[in-house]
Amino acid sequence: EVQFGPGEASLGGSGRYCLVKGSPEALGPLLAKKAAPSWFERAHTSLAESGLRILALAYKKLDLPAGEAGGAPLTREDAESGLTFAGFIAFE
């Protein structure tokens, strides 16, 4: 069981974010270096072995502030790289 303390589950401010969900196997390689906690593999494997379906969640704060226009369009590859791990959702 993993618990978050005050503020740890917060995105940390206003602005634009890319929110990503997917299988742990697909999302893991998209995380920033050392962004996955030490228990990442062990936790999702254990949950899956107990018969649960698992989604991994991650996010990335974008450089362009909310409401600001202009700049180069954001590609999917740019948005879905260097992500910060946010947690797992487990379904029966």
Side-chain angles (χ1 to χ4, degrees):
E1 180 176 314
V2 178
Q3 297 182 354
F4 291 100
E8 288 183 90
S10 162
L11 290 179
S14 62
R16 292 181 138 182
Y17 288 84
C18 175
L19 307 175
V20 181
K21 54 100 176 130
S23 72
E25 298 83 6
L27 197 128
L30 304 177
L31 298 175
K33 286 191 180 227
K34 302 191 181 195
S38 60
W39 45 263
F40 182 89
E41 292 291 330
R42 182 173 22 98
H44 82 77
T45 301
S46 175
L47 291 166
E49 287 174 349
S50 68
L52 298 173
R53 297 185 62 133
I54 312 303
L55 279 180
L57 307 172
Y59 68 93
K60 178 179 184 176
K61 186 167 185 176
L62 303 176
D63 293 330
L64 184 62
E68 187 173 311
L74 185 65
T75 66
R76 182 173 180 174
E77 290 78 20
D78 288 337
E80 294 180 350
S81 63
L83 299 170
T84 299
F85 176 69
F88 295 117
I89 298 177
F91 300 92
E92 287 188 358

